[in-house]
Structure formats: structure tokens, C-alpha cells
Amino acid sequence: KQEVTQIPAALSVPEGENLVLNCSFTDSAIYNLQWFRQDPGKGLTSLLLIQSSQREQTSGRLNASLDKSSGRSTLYIAASQPGDSATYLCAVLNSGGGADGLTFGKGTHLIIQP
Amino acid sequence: DVKVTQSSRYLVKRTGEKVFLECVQDMDHENMFWYRQDPGLGLRLIYFSYDVKMKEKGDIPEGYSVSREKKERFSLILESASTNQTSMYLCASRLERGAKNIQYFGAGTRLSVL
């Protein structure tokens, strides 16, 4: 059964720093990996999707990489801002059998200090 | 932009009540999903639907049922609500299964069962 782990569980950094969030998964048979942002009490906002055949995706100050063979992904946030404070979730869509939803990690709670 | 709308942001119900959570998407997506999110457990898939009148169990279907009579609407039903169903419920939709397709989420319904 696929398991997704995110490290660290929480992170607090000063404004302006570059930072990396980590995600690992146990089964490399995936269609894609998505990074989401969740603000307190709200739904999930999709940030980036990386297909299994891709190595990275970029959107503005965000860059996500995927190493499928080692079961790892990173989300790089450049020049962090207080508005980046949120919980970041990674999720994979399995290409094997079983239920067809995303398998989620438990998230990294990020605080950017002004 | 894709819009996934959940009919209620907050609901308070009593034990034993029948509860309906409604979700509507406006992008003609074929696939729809219901998840619940609990502290320490993350997001878990309850049910999903590939198309109208089709439904499949996810990882935690016990105590729930679903209905999809129209393509744009996916309802989650708690036949007899219990206190352990107090949770944040998130609906999602996706065009179809495939590596390129983003899963979009609604704002969530926070359900309290007293």
C-alpha cells in the first residue's frame, strides 16, 4: 500500500529565505505527484503537478522536482514571504490497482516570520 | 477556472440524524471524490465516482454512502451520523484519470456531530 511521508512536519523561517519541503513515497508506480497548499480551515489549492515522466515543474517562486525511482519529491520556495505561511501537502496518484484517489502525506506546516 | 462548490461550510448535526453533504463542479469533469481530513490522520478517501451513477469505495467507506445522479453533482450521505464522523469533509473533481489531470478541491465542510 502506498505511503507518503513529508518532512519536516513543521518549519519556521524568517522572511526572504529560500526553503525546501520534502516528500517521499514508497511505491514508484505513480501517474503523477501534486503539491497543494491549505490555509487554516480552508480547502486545498493545487500548486504544481508533475507527471511521472517529468523531472520538475515551475510556477513563479515555486519549483517542484520528482525523482520517481528513489520515491522523492521536493518543493522549493524562493524568497519566502509571510503570505506563504500555510500547510503544504504532497499527494501521489498511483498507477497500479486499488482506489483511484490521491494518497496524501500529512503535510508540512510552514510559518514565515515577518 | 475550475470551481468545486460545497453547499455548506459548517454543519452541526445530532447523533442518529441522516446527513447530506452536497458538492457541485462546473467543468464537466467525469471523476469526483469525497475525502475526510482529521488531525494526525491526514486526508483519507471515502468514495469516488468515475461517471454518472457510478461509485467506488475508497479506503474508509464504512458509515457512508454516495449518490451521483447528475454529472456535476456528487453527494455524500451519512445514513446515521455518529460522533466519530465529526470531521472536515472535502470534495474534489478531476477531468478523468490520467497523468496530466489536476484534482481540484472545494472549500470543505466542517461537520460536527453532537
Side-chain angles (χ1 to χ4, degrees), chain A residues 6-85:
Chain A
Q6 291 187 246
I7 294 173
L11 181 64
S12 180
V13 301
E15 179 179 3
E17 284 199 6
N18 303 324
L19 57 99
V20 174
L21 307 182
N22 295 292
C23 172
S24 62
F25 47 95
T26 55
D27 185 349
S28 63
I30 64 170
Y31 271 132
N32 62 43
L33 182 145
Q34 274 190 261
W35 281 95
F36 293 90
R37 169 188 173 132
Q38 186 175 31
D39 293 293
K42 302 286 180 66
L44 278 63
T45 300
S46 180
L47 297 173
L48 289 164
L49 178 147
I50 311 176
Q51 299 176 54
S52 61
S53 58
Q54 298 174 326
R55 297 284 293 185
E56 65 177 345
Q57 284 289 327
T58 298
S59 175
R61 294 183 292 109
L62 305 179
N63 176 276
S65 69
L66 174 65
D67 184 343
K68 198 176 77 159
S69 60
S70 70
R72 294 178 188 275
S73 176
T74 61
L75 179 67
Y76 175 83
I77 303 177
S80 58
Q81 302 171 359
D84 295 330
S85 297

Side-chain angles (χ1 to χ4, degrees), chain A residues 32 38 41 94 100 102 106, chain B residues 9 35 37 40 94 97 99:
Chain A
N32 62 43
Q38 186 175 31
N94 298 323
D100 196 24
L102 294 170
K106 292 181 181 172
Chain B
R9 290 298 314 276
Y35 296 85
Q37 184 177 29
R94 179 183 72 192
R97 184 173 172 81

